[in-house]
């Protein structure tokens, strides 16, 4: 049994391992671990008290994939409900669908009995948003953002390349050998309303298949969507590569992307035999893992793979 997570999963990895040790499934372990990150007010990239979109609205994305059946569930751009990973799991288990977005996701969350919350972002984050956006736009633009018909212009200025990452990944393998991958995020800070990243997109930010392994991404979701990164990693495992080879190969695919918006990417990987790894395009990243015989997690460095950042160089 093993749990692997992005380093901001520290607050949830023990709970995830406790689920596995009690005989619970990998799906339940992943959900338990991610819920604690979603509730953590110190993490501004996942769940409660995260950076909102450009209009100041918190929109949450999450997905979960059961590697035994390849069943999956996801929610995107969901407002007003905290535990996006649980709603994603319920989509997987209660509906004939895989992915609900926006009002549909919110309606479903209400039907599932989730409590609606109007106060998911604290004042300090809203004050930081105002201060940050006013660096790039006049006060009269900021004050009328919701009414503007040229929001697409302002979002380019307001989008902060230093806040295009974040997100939490959990991968788990249970006592039955079943593997699950889960991802939850609030997405880019100051994103365009309705923007979806890779986190809720199966194959982009999240993939699990018992026969080969699992992978999940944190970083600039647009890159992982374009390269189908999580699925690529699992495909490379399927082709017989090691965790190290598969992760590096998927990172190299990202380096081949063209275009003006290339930023950070990080992967966590778990193969069917319980080998894990982490990969990053910046120098100082770590990930965490804990096996059943460990009292606590360890936090190794991720393997660095250079992906030179490019940020709107044509501007
Ligand atoms: N990786 C999270 C996002 O881009 O939304």
């Amino acid at each position: 049994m093993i749990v692997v997570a992005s380093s901001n999963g520290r607050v949830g990895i023990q709970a995830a391992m406790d689920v596995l040790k009690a005989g619970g499934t990998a799906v339940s372990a992943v959900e338990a671990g991610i819920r604690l990150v979603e509730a953590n007010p110190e993490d501004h990239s996942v769940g409660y008290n995260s950076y909102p979109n450009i209009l100041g609205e918190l929109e949450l994305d999450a997905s979960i994939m059961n590697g035994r059946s390849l069943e999956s569930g996801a929610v995107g751009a969901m407002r007003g409900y905290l535990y996006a990973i649980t709603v994603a799991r319920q989509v997987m288990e209660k509906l004939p669908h895989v992915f609900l977005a926006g009002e549909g996701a919110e309606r479903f969350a209400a039907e599932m009995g989730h409590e609606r919350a109007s106060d998911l972002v604290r004042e300090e984050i809203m004050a930081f948003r105002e201060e940050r956006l006013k660096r790039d736009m006049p006060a009269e633009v900021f004050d009328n953002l919701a009414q503007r018909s040229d929001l697409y212009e302002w979002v380019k200025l307001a989008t902060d390349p230093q806040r295009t990452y974040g997100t939490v990944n959990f991968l788990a393998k249970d006592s039955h050998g079943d593997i699950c991958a889960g991802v939850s995020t609030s997405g880019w800070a100051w994103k365009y309303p309705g923007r979806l990243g890779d986190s809720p997109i199966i194959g982009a930010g999240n993939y699990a298949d018992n026969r080969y392994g699992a992978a999940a991404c944190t970083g600039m979701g647009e890159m992982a969507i374009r390269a189908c990164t999580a699925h690529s990693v699992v495909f490379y495992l399927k082709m017989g590569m090691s965790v190290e080879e598969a992760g590096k190969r998927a990172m190299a695919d990202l380096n081949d992307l063209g275009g003006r918006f290339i930023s950070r990417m990080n992967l966590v990987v778990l193969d069917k035999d319980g080998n894990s790894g982490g990969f990053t395009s910046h120098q100082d990243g770590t990930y965490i893992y804990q096996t059943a015989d460990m009292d606590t997690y360890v936090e190794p460095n991720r393997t660095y793979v250079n992906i030179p950042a490019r940020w709107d160089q044509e501007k």
Side-chain angles (χ1 to χ4, degrees):
M1 293 184 286
I2 183 169
V3 180
V4 182
S6 50
S7 55
N8 58 343
R10 291 180 201 98
V11 297
I13 193 166
Q14 188 62 55
M17 181 50 75
D18 289 347
V19 169
L20 296 184
K21 285 185 174 172
T25 63
V27 171
S28 292
V30 163
E31 181 190 9
I34 290 180
R35 280 176 66 97
L36 289 168
V37 185
E38 290 177 332
N40 178 11
E42 306 306 322
D43 190 320
H44 303 314
S45 67
V46 181
Y48 178 63
N49 207 33
S50 294
Y51 296 125
N53 68 19
I54 191 168
L55 299 180
E57 302 155 336
L58 187 66
E59 294 182 321
L60 301 179
D61 303 337
S63 67
I64 194 162
M65 184 163 190
N66 182 342
R68 178 154 54 90
S69 57
L70 308 193
E71 290 170 297
S72 315
V75 292
M78 183 176 73
R79 299 181 191 175
Y81 294 92
L82 173 57
Y83 291 112
I85 193 67
T86 297
V87 185
R89 178 179 181 173
Q90 289 167 324
V91 170
M92 175 171 77
E93 294 180 344
K94 307 268 186 210
L95 289 176
H97 307 310
V98 166
F99 196 172
L100 296 180
E103 286 178 14
E106 293 151 24
R107 177 189 176 114
F108 176 70
E111 287 186 18
M112 291 296 105
H114 291 258
E115 194 178 328
R116 189 169 181 87
S118 57
D119 53 354
L120 289 177
V121 182
R122 290 183 182 169
E123 191 47 46
E124 89 230 14
I125 297 293
M126 297 307 278
F128 177 70
R129 165 182 167 266
E130 179 167 349
E131 186 270 320
R132 175 63 188 84
L133 296 195
K134 281 183 172 172
R135 274 191 242 157
D136 284 332
M137 61 183 67
E140 62 271 21
V141 172
F142 178 84
D143 291 341
N144 289 296
L145 274 173
Q147 285 74 46
R148 294 193 71 93
S149 58
D150 60 352
L151 198 59
Y152 71 100
E153 293 287 3
W154 294 106
V155 87
K156 277 189 243 168
L157 295 179
T159 295
D160 186 343
Q162 295 308 312
R163 290 185 174 77
T164 57
Y165 49 90
T167 305
V168 65
N169 300 155
F170 266 77
L171 314 176
K173 183 178 180 191
D174 64 27
S175 58
H176 307 289
D178 290 329
I179 293 176
C180 176
V183 184
S184 184
T185 190
S186 54
W188 286 23
W190 340 132
K191 62 192 175 184
Y192 196 95
R195 175 265 184 188
L196 298 174
D198 59 324
S199 303
I201 298 178
I202 298 301
N206 178 352
Y207 204 77
D209 185 328
N210 275 8
R211 296 171 295 178
Y212 316 114
C217 307
T218 61
M220 187 178 170
E222 282 73 1
M223 295 166 61
I225 293 171
R226 293 164 64 202
C228 302
T229 298
H231 183 267
S232 290
V233 174
V234 176
F235 177 77
Y236 292 139
L237 294 173
K238 179 179 179 177
M239 293 291 100
M241 292 185 192
S242 66
V243 165
E244 187 74 5
E245 291 165 337
K248 284 182 175 172
R249 180 73 181 266
M251 292 291 279
D253 292 345
L254 291 161
N255 193 37
D256 291 340
L257 293 172
R260 293 179 293 141
F261 295 101
I262 300 296
S263 182
R264 289 185 181 189
M265 183 53 62
N266 314 289
L267 315 177
V268 288
V269 183
L270 173 67
D271 75 9
K272 65 179 177 18
D273 301 317
N275 301 302
S276 65
F279 302 84
T280 182
S281 65
H282 60 109
Q283 299 273 10
D284 53 355
T286 59
Y287 73 106
I288 57 176
Y289 72 88
Q290 185 171 348
T291 56
D293 54 0
M294 293 163 60
D295 290 335
T296 187
Y297 63 83
V298 290
E299 186 162 352
N301 289 327
R302 293 177 187 248
T303 300
Y304 171 63
V305 181
N306 186 28
I307 302 177
R310 300 191 295 276
W311 198 261
D312 203 8
Q313 288 167 342
E314 289 175 13
K315 226 172 53 185

